[in-house]
């Protein structure tokens, strides 16, 4: 399965010999798995591309977190997505060991291993196929969720958010629902296996000691820039991926002119940041672009020429109790 990376990165795999015949490639996590900070972005994206390379080659892989010291919310969701994609594809195409073709090596540092476990991240990425993802869905304590249902169980998601946050920020559930709808209608082409079409991955942080928390939604689809490419080419002519995201965020700009039953652009997605006093910002990454939206305007917009985010990631960030 292609990740949509137009320029293939240089990827070096470590080879692990298992027994006498099987050779397993290793995707090696960097010490800091992070997509926010420039100094960590290259190594993080290279790690993601190593997993994508294993998917394309249909080869067993060891995901090696041995040197990992930290992982942030957005990067954790992307890691969860890429690992579970491999597991679903491995079962579908009938790799000899199915989803067990992907192994996990936990961090050497005991405190980081404990962090993986108590945050639910280890349960999300451990070996498993559809049954594992179903267990995650029904586990209200685990903050990692994924579904490809056109109509996800919204009451279950609301219970999960209340369990994590106590009080759900105003319009956040509407924003998530809009995100699910956009993913179902816009994110994927039809040439996918059934278990991946329309699939999204989500993480809800607990409220941290400093009062901050975030909710992250990610898909592995074609991305906003490609989805809007025909409309942008007709209306704007030349554009970069971050400008495509900015364009999509303007009210009424959708892939479809009439927009009937196909979402409401980014209007609902921006709403939790617009109306909640303690909202911090909205972070969007899609294609090769990233945009930060706060105070009802674009705060930062960047084009990352050497990297693609392999879909679309949206993160709602809050500084404290949302009103």
């Amino acid at each position: 399965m292609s990740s949509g990376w137009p320029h293939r990165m240089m990827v070096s795999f470590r080879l692990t010999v298992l027994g006498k015949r099987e050779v397993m490639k290793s995707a090696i996590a960097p010490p800091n798995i992070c997509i926010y900070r420039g100094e960590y972005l290259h190594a993080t994206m290279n790690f993601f591309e190593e997993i994508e390379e294993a998917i394309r080659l249909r080869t067993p892989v060891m995901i090696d977190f041995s040197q990992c010291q930290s992982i942030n919310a957005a990067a954790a969701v992307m890691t969860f997505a890429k690992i579970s994609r491999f597991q679903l594809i491995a079962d579908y195409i009938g790799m000899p060991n199915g989803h067990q073709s992907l192994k996990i090596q936990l961090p050497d540092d005991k405190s980081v291993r404990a962090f993986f476990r108590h945050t639910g991240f280890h349960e999300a990425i451990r070996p498993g196929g559809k049954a594992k993802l179903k267990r995650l869905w029904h586990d209200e304590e685990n903050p990692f969720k994924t579904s490809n249902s056109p109509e996800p169980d919204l009451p279950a998601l609301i219970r999960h958010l209340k369990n994590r946050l106590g009080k759900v920020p105003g319009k956040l559930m509407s924003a998530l629902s809009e995100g699910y709808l956009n993913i179902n209608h816009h994110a994927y082409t039809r040439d996918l296996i059934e278990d991946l079409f329309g699939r999204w991955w989500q993480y809800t942080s607990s409220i941290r000691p400093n009062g901050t928390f975030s909710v992250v939604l990610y898909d592995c689809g074609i991305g906003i820039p490609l989805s809007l490419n025909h409309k942008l080419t007709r209306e704007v002519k030349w554009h970069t991926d971050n400008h495509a995201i900015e364009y999509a965020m303007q009210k009424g700009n959708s892939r479809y002119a009439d927009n009937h039953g196909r979402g409401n652009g980014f209007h609902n997605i921006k709403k939790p940041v617009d109306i909640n006093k303690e909202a911090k910002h909205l972070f969007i990454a899609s294609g090769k672009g990233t945009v930060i939206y706060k105070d009802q305007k674009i705060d930062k917009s960047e084009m990352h020429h050497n990297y693609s985010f392999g879909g679309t990631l949206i993160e709602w960030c809050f500084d404290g109790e949302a009103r």
Side-chain angles (χ1 to χ4, degrees), residues 128-143:
K130 287 190 286 186
K132 177 192 74 172
L133 301 182
K134 187 176 180 180
R135 287 197 307 272
L136 284 174
W137 181 264
H138 292 291
D139 182 358
E140 290 186 11
E141 298 296 322
N142 195 300

Side-chain angles (χ1 to χ4, degrees), residues 224-269:
I224 293 168
L226 187 56
S227 177
L228 286 171
N229 186 57
H230 290 302
K231 190 172 184 180
L232 275 164
T233 301
R234 185 173 64 251
E235 296 184 10
V236 183
K237 308 303 182 188
W238 183 88
H239 61 274
T240 57
D241 286 5
N242 56 313
H243 293 144
I245 298 169
E246 292 182 43
Y247 177 86
M249 294 177 73
Q250 299 172 27
K251 187 176 181 180
N253 283 339
S254 169
R255 179 180 172 186
Y256 298 93
D258 60 15
N259 221 20
H260 295 314
R262 295 187 181 270
N264 190 29
F266 263 83
H267 179 68
N268 287 343
I269 288 173

